[in-house]
Amino acid sequence: MPRIAHSIGTTLMATVPAARTASAPVVQCVLDEERAALADVHHTTQDPLLRNIVGEAIGLNGVDFQSGDDPEKAHAARVNQNDRTQHEVNLDPQQLTEPLTRQSHLLHELIHVSADRRYNANAGGDRDPALTAVVDPGQTIAEQDKEIGRQSKHRYGLAESLHDGVDDDDAVGDDIKALVKDRASRAMGHPHRELDSVSSELYYEFHRRGVDQTSHTFAKVKALAHGTYRSRNEGVPLDQVYEEPQRPGKCCVVQ
């Protein structure tokens, strides 16, 4: 099935393949609805972290939604022309039929935009766009690459811990376990790009789906969302602000 591609950035280009041009108004309507839903959550939630994350996404300046006819344009500009203002988002309403899933995916991509603008490893148009790392600009490229690798390895370990640990959490159902494993796998595949977006979207979904907030999985996702939020907004490496949540029954055995 052809996909309807969207780009997010200084210009967000909703590109529609020629065979499905008639779907453009439907796609635009869906995007408007999901953006409005995110704004509503931002205004109504009592959770400070969720309010901050959603507010960061919907408060991005210079983000526009428009129709186009080339689904590869944004990707080509981003990779070949080193244009970090273009972000490609694939959102097909015929495949993503659940509004909450569309909202979380849109939040995911908007956090990518924000991370691109905030992490200084990517500030100069790094050869690997969307590097979520903090580096010392006074270091050599080789030294910066080594630090990027160290931070990426740390991020991979956190994603792997989330992926492997959810199996032992009896407080969440099989549907949530499957969701966590799917999204954590995405973060493990590209830890230097995806952990910010994955943890943010999961935190959003957990709140909207009413996941048990006393569960270790909820605590882990919250710690990841909070740590990555601080890292990109405070300009410090993730390992300096991330706090591993204490797992019930895993600490403090009194002799």
Side-chain angles (χ1 to χ4, degrees):
M1 177 183 295
R3 293 184 303 179
I4 297 176
H6 305 270
S7 307
I8 292 182
T10 299
T11 299
L12 186 153
M13 183 177 298
T15 62
V16 183
R20 294 181 59 182
T21 302
S23 299
V26 175
V27 175
Q28 185 63 58
C29 180
V30 167
L31 283 172
D32 289 343
E33 290 175 353
E34 308 320 343
R35 292 168 69 195
L38 289 174
D40 184 63
V41 169
H42 176 251
H43 290 308
T44 60
T45 183
Q46 299 300 307
D47 183 83
L49 177 58
L50 184 62
R51 184 184 304 114
N52 286 341
I53 291 172
V54 176
E56 175 186 344
I58 66 175
L60 288 167
N61 294 320
V63 176
D64 184 39
F65 292 74
Q66 63 185 35
S67 295
D69 58 5
D70 184 358
E72 297 300 324
K73 181 178 180 180
H75 179 72
R78 188 168 172 76
V79 175
N80 300 328
Q81 301 173 28
N82 200 23
D83 182 353
R84 296 184 305 109
T85 68
Q86 299 291 332
H87 298 257
E88 188 177 46
V89 181
N90 295 311
L91 178 64
D92 188 341
Q94 295 189 30
Q95 293 181 353
L96 296 177
T97 58
E98 186 180 31
L100 177 55
T101 301
R102 292 197 298 265
Q103 293 163 32
S104 65
H105 279 223
L106 183 58
L107 176 65
H108 175 115
E109 299 301 339
L110 287 169
I111 293 298
H112 271 309
V113 176
S114 183
D116 257 13
R117 296 177 178 182
R118 294 172 187 268
Y119 281 106
N120 76 342
N122 198 27
D126 196 277
R127 53 210 168 280
D128 188 356
L131 281 174
T132 51
V134 180
V135 296
D136 181 353
Q139 292 181 325
T140 66
I141 294 298
E143 290 171 332
Q144 290 183 24
D145 284 345
K146 183 177 180 180
E147 176 60 14
I148 288 169
R150 185 194 69 80
Q151 292 182 37
S152 180
K153 183 178 180 180
H154 174 68
R155 287 169 168 269
Y156 178 90
L158 295 177
E160 183 180 44
S161 176
L162 175 64
H163 179 280
D164 295 348
V166 71
D167 284 330
D168 297 330
D169 192 347
D170 295 332
V172 298
D174 290 341
D175 57 335
I176 297 300
K177 290 181 180 180
L179 172 66
V180 168
K181 281 185 168 292
D182 175 73
R183 306 316 286 165
S185 293
R186 182 183 183 94
M188 291 162 65
H190 301 282
H192 67 294
R193 295 181 184 178
E194 296 291 342
L195 191 62
D196 285 61
S197 291
V198 164
S199 60
S200 298
E201 70 164 290
L202 280 176
Y203 195 61
Y204 181 84
E205 286 224 25
F206 276 23
H207 271 276
R208 298 300 304 278
R209 295 187 187 280
V211 173
D212 184 354
Q213 296 191 18
T214 67
S215 68
H216 179 68
T217 300
F218 185 96
K220 182 76 171 182
V221 167
K222 181 176 182 178
L224 289 171
H226 183 250
T228 53
Y229 176 84
R230 288 191 59 191
S231 181
R232 66 180 175 271
N233 284 279
E234 297 177 18
V236 294
L238 179 58
D239 60 311
Q240 294 184 21
V241 292
Y242 175 78
E243 297 181 6
E244 180 72 18
Q246 186 179 92
R247 183 147 194 165
K250 301 294 183 181
C251 174
C252 308
V253 177
V254 178
Q255 299 294 335

